[in-house]
């Protein structure tokens, strides 16, 4: 199966300043691929390279199996893009922009745009200059989705949207995916990626730190387990287990944190009579933050 | 309804066009309305004490010619600040049409559409061409109307040629500005370089007629190609006009190549 987006040692320097370096990405059809990283990590540079706004210093990129530079026009006709630094023509109304883009794309997307605008509760009759930040963002989403593209590239799409509209956006992504689209979106907001992405790439200082399924990251999240046994149990039975550290024992109560497989813990606990068990799913955020922070 | 990039380029500047139209109309009328009264006096006496080089720099080559409608209108409009003004507007459009979209980041949105960079340059250029033809047409119409009122004795043929030349010359400078901005992405450089070139070539043409050392290179100025044959008198230099068109296309090609080659919006 051909990857929808594929980069090979993609590198971009702006003079001496690094954009991205030796980036290797592969996004499969139908995936929602989350691109997570702090500001300045190279997320926007990657999108801009894929859209052919800027040219790689070295390496290459392919979208739909096509060369990102040579076949850019075809790629762009099949892609919906929302820039991180969104700017729309300030003196045009939402409708005029939809109409103009419609003609530029040579397909009439006005009905679909109207439907999307209703979904996002956006009035298309207003001049862009007079839109709030959130409404401008909505118009950015409308124009990205309105031609039902095969690939959506969304650079920080939810900034400035209120929570209800964010939910609607997640639903729009889900609908697009069920229609066969692939979604590549960046964010520095973790719960968002956790919520909608299948695959996550963490980028830092222009390079990928790790690419994995959201589930894999989740499995690594620190869980907190609090057992209450019928009688005190020796700490050592748990503290020797993989990924476990004992927080405290208070008489018959044992509280541990775990980043490893849960099975061994359950089996160890099963050797005793368990009166009560409380489990808290750890914050995925901690896992990601560990990647953001500088290595020790 | 805005359907094309060219359409949008014109629509964006519809008010500017209106103001330029009004401004140039007033400028033309204010100039030609004085002609009948000035014609009565002797221009030679009026300009007696003014050095020849100074007059030449302001587009006055031959004082005696000022007493004719052709000579007067030529010196006041086409061989003078009228042309400079129109060309300056062309430069303003050419220098900003790409770079202001880059500065305001709307270029990312535009280039996310399935449109080639070549088409972006060509359509934006075409909008500039239409605006220049538009403003030249306004000036033409004002002259046509003024002609009998202020007894200018201009021929229709002359008025057509001189305003066609005006459009060609301003498009040339607008295209130079566009090429600089397309290659460099820098609006300031585009305005500075092409504006400086405009001033330089205008002075070269004017002073070249009186300063011996400039005489030999005077022919390199597009103002020479445009005006030396006095198109307002109906005597047009086909070679000069074609030369302007050729140089324009050359710079248009540079604009297309330059904009295709570089990173946009960085």
């Amino acid at each position: 199966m051909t990857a929808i987006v594929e980069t090979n040692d993609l590198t971009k320097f702006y003079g001496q300043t690094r954009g991205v370096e030796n980036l290797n990405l592969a996004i499969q059809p139908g995936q929602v691929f989350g691109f997570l990283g702090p500001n300045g990590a190279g997320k926007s540079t990657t999108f801009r390279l894929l859209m052919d706004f800027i040219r790689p210093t070295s390496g290459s990129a392919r979208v739909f199996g096509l060369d990102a530079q040579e076949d850019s026009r075809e790629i762009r006709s099949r892609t919906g893009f929302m820039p991180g630094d969104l700017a729309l023509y300030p003196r045009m109304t939402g409708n005029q922009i939809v109409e103009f883009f419609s003609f530029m794309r040579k397909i009439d997307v006005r009905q679909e745009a109207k439907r999307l605008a209703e979904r996002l509760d956006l009035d298309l009759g207003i001049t862009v200059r007079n839109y709030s930040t959130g409404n401008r963002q909505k118009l950015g989403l409308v124009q990205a989705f309105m031609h039902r593209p095969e690939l959506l590239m969304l650079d920080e799409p939810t900034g400035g949207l209120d929570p209800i509209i964010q939910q609607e956006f997640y639903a729009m992504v889900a609908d697009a995916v069920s229609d066969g689209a692939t979604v590549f979106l960046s964010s520095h907001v973790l719960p968002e990626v956790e919520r909608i992405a299948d695959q996550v790439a963490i980028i830092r200082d222009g390079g990928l730190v790790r690419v994995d399924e959201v589930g894999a990251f989740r499995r690594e999240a620190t869980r907190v387990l609090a057992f209450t046994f019928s009688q005190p149990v020796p700490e050592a039975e748990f503290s020797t287990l993989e990924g476990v550290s004992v927080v405290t024992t208070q008489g018959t109560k044992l509280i541990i944190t775990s980043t490893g497989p849960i099975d061994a813990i359950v089996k160890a606990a099963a050797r005793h009579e368990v009166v009560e068990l409380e489990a808290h799913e750890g914050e995925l955020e901690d896992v990601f933050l560990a990647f953001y922070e500088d290595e020790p | 309804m805005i359907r094309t990039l060219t359409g949008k380029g014109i629509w964006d500047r519809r008010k500017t066009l209106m103001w330029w139209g009004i401004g140039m109309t007033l400028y033309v009328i204010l100039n030609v309305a004085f002609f009948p009264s000035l014609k009565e006096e002797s221009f030679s006496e009026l300009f007696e004490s003014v050095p020849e080089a100074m007059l030449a720099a302001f587009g006055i080559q031959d004082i005696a010619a000022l007493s004719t409608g052709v000579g007067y209108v030529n010196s006041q409009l086409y061989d003078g600040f009228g042309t400079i003004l129109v060309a300056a507007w062309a430069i303003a459009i050419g220098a900003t049409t790409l770079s202001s979209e880059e500065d305001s980041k709307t270029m990312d949105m535009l280039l996310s559409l399935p449109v080639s960079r070549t088409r972006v340059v060509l359509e934006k250029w075409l909008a500039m061409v239409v605006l220049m033809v538009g403003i030249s047409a306004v000036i033409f119409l004002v002259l046509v109307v003024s002609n009998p009122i202020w007894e200018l004795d201009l021929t229709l043929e002359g008025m057509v040629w001189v305003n066609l030349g005006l459009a060609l010359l301003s498009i040339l400078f607008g295209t130079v500005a566009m090429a600089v901005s397309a290659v460099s992405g820098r609006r300031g450089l585009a305005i500075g370089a092409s504006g400086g070139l405009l001033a330089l070539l205008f002075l070269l043409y004017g002073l070249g007629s009186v300063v011996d050392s400039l005489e030999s290179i005077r022919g390199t100025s597009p103002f020479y190609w445009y005006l030396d044959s006095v198109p307002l008198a109906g005597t047009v230099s086909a070679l000069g006009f074609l030369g302007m068109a050729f140089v324009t296309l050359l710079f248009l090609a540079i604009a297309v190549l330059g904009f295709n080659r570089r990173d946009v919006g960085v």
Side-chain angles (χ1 to χ4, degrees):
Chain A
M1 194 157 51
T2 324
I4 296 289
V5 175
E6 192 178 9
T7 68
N8 293 304
D9 290 328
L10 190 64
T11 300
K12 178 67 185 178
F13 276 84
Y14 306 100
Q16 294 294 308
T17 316
R18 169 204 41 75
V20 291
E21 199 165 4
N22 296 323
L23 195 74
N24 290 292
L25 273 178
I27 300 174
Q28 303 304 324
Q31 268 187 339
V32 177
F33 194 97
F35 208 20
L36 200 63
N39 294 326
K43 302 188 296 282
S44 294
T45 297
T46 307
F47 284 118
R48 294 173 55 81
L49 284 163
L50 292 171
M51 294 299 288
D52 192 39
F53 301 159
I54 54 176
R55 307 304 171 34
T57 309
S58 64
S60 64
R62 300 186 82 78
V63 181
F64 308 121
L66 302 165
D67 186 89
Q69 205 171 324
E70 294 296 312
D71 307 310
S72 174
R73 207 152 66 95
E74 184 181 343
I75 291 170
R76 285 178 281 140
S77 76
R78 296 161 64 182
T79 302
F81 177 65
M82 164 132 168
D85 219 341
L86 177 69
L88 295 149
Y89 297 113
R91 288 184 294 183
M92 291 169 89
T93 65
N95 276 321
Q96 282 171 329
I97 285 183
V98 165
E99 207 162 71
F100 177 52
F101 284 17
S102 229
F103 282 109
M104 296 296 280
R105 287 197 175 277
K106 296 192 179 75
I107 39 168
D108 192 348
V109 293
R110 284 175 287 188
Q111 279 307 313
E112 181 67 8
K114 207 175 146 198
R115 203 182 62 78
L116 289 165
E118 274 165 20
R119 227 177 139 168
L120 292 169
D121 191 25
L122 173 72
D123 182 354
L124 286 174
I126 296 172
T127 311
V128 168
R129 188 171 39 190
N130 297 325
Y131 274 136
S132 64
T133 312
N135 280 338
R136 259 197 293 273
Q137 201 77 358
K138 290 178 191 175
L139 184 54
L141 289 173
V142 167
Q143 66 78 31
F145 279 79
M146 66 187 184
H147 52 292
R148 296 175 165 273
E150 292 165 61
L151 171 65
L152 282 154
M153 289 209 271
L154 311 169
D155 193 2
E156 308 261 356
T158 56
L161 293 182
D162 63 51
I164 296 166
I165 301 298
Q166 279 187 26
Q167 298 304 316
E168 198 53 49
F169 164 70
Y170 299 148
M172 276 164 59
V173 168
D175 289 353
V177 170
S178 68
D179 286 348
T182 305
V183 181
F184 181 21
L185 86 167
S186 77
S187 179
H188 61 273
V189 192
L190 181 79
E192 175 168 292
V193 172
E194 189 183 351
R195 156 117 203 222
I196 60 173
D198 309 310
Q199 192 96 4
V200 177
I202 297 176
I203 184 170
R204 205 191 66 194
D205 297 336
L208 288 183
V209 184
R210 184 173 161 188
V211 184
D212 218 327
E213 285 167 23
V214 171
F217 287 104
R218 189 173 284 133
R219 279 194 291 279
E220 283 167 35
T222 310
R223 288 179 213 89
V224 181
L225 297 165
F227 292 98
T228 310
F229 297 100
S230 58
Q231 50 192 308
V233 297
E235 263 186 39
E237 283 185 25
F238 293 90
S239 59
T240 51
L241 296 173
E242 188 196 335
V244 170
S245 57
V246 174
V247 176
T248 176
T249 47
Q250 297 161 344
T252 58
K253 193 163 185 178
L254 170 79
I255 301 174
I256 60 169
T257 62
S258 155
T259 56
I262 194 136
D263 186 60
I265 303 168
V266 173
K267 282 182 173 143
R271 290 199 288 270
H272 308 275
E273 189 182 336
V274 180
V275 178
E276 205 179 307
L277 168 61
E278 282 175 72
H280 301 283
E281 193 64 40
E283 292 295 319
L284 198 52
E285 195 150 0
D286 299 333
V287 182
F288 291 108
L289 281 175
F291 285 106
Y292 279 21
E293 285 154 13
D294 288 318
E295 273 107 19
Chain B
M1 191 134 68
I2 304 150
R3 295 177 176 220
T4 62
L5 208 42
T6 298
K8 186 180 174 301
I10 297 165
W11 184 83
D12 282 344
R13 297 180 181 82
R14 64 199 188 284
K15 284 182 188 151
T16 322
L17 175 62
M18 187 188 77
W19 287 115
W20 271 93
I22 293 171
M24 291 309 297
T25 300
L26 291 175
Y27 183 80
V28 173
I29 289 175
L30 278 176
N31 274 294
V32 298
F34 282 109
F35 178 66
S37 57
L38 285 172
K39 194 168 59 170
E40 308 301 311
E41 302 172 28
S42 168
F43 274 99
S44 317
E45 279 168 36
L46 206 62
F47 290 109
E48 211 168 27
S49 56
V50 184
E52 201 185 15
M54 178 83 90
L55 290 174
F58 285 92
I60 301 167
Q61 320 268 350
D62 179 5
I63 294 171
L66 285 178
S67 55
T68 68
V70 168
Y72 180 78
V73 172
N74 227 4
S75 73
Q76 296 303 301
L77 297 178
Y78 298 103
D79 209 343
F81 288 114
T83 300
I84 295 286
L85 283 173
V86 176
W89 186 33
I91 286 175
I93 296 172
T96 58
T97 188
L98 293 166
S99 57
S100 67
E101 286 222 36
E102 287 189 65
D103 292 347
S104 69
K105 311 267 182 204
T106 53
M107 187 60 91
D108 279 19
M109 208 69 262
L110 177 59
L111 289 181
S112 79
L113 300 167
V115 44
S116 69
R117 291 197 193 179
T118 301
R119 199 178 130 200
V120 170
V121 173
L122 292 181
E123 284 212 29
K124 280 176 171 286
W125 177 79
L126 196 59
M128 189 259 291
V129 169
V130 171
L131 291 166
M132 287 308 118
V133 171
I135 192 74
S136 303
V138 168
I139 297 171
F140 167 76
L141 289 175
V142 174
L143 265 194
V144 168
V145 173
S146 307
N147 195 24
I149 301 175
W150 289 292
E151 300 154 21
L152 298 171
D153 285 331
L154 303 175
T155 63
L156 187 66
E157 196 192 3
M159 288 185 283
V160 168
W161 283 120
V162 81
N163 285 298
L164 181 70
L166 176 65
L168 280 174
L169 187 90
S170 50
I171 289 164
L172 189 162
F173 281 100
T175 309
V176 170
M178 200 167 166
V180 177
S181 124
V183 170
S184 70
R186 289 163 61 194
R187 172 174 21 187
L189 180 70
I191 292 176
S194 41
L197 197 67
L198 175 73
L200 199 75
L201 292 171
F202 178 67
L203 283 178
L204 174 64
Y205 169 63
L207 292 175
S209 63
V210 283
V211 180
D212 290 342
S213 57
L214 295 177
E215 181 74 55
S216 58
I217 53 167
R218 189 172 172 241
T220 59
S221 172
F223 283 92
Y224 180 91
W225 310 343
Y226 168 32
L227 292 167
D228 197 60
S229 63
V230 194
L232 188 55
T235 46
V236 68
S237 158
L239 196 64
F241 275 37
L242 286 174
M244 288 194 281
F246 176 76
V247 173
T248 298
L249 293 178
L250 197 70
F251 277 95
L252 181 61
I254 292 172
V256 167
L257 290 175
F259 195 59
N260 268 294
R261 278 173 59 96
R262 72 177 167 86
D263 288 350
V264 166
V266 292

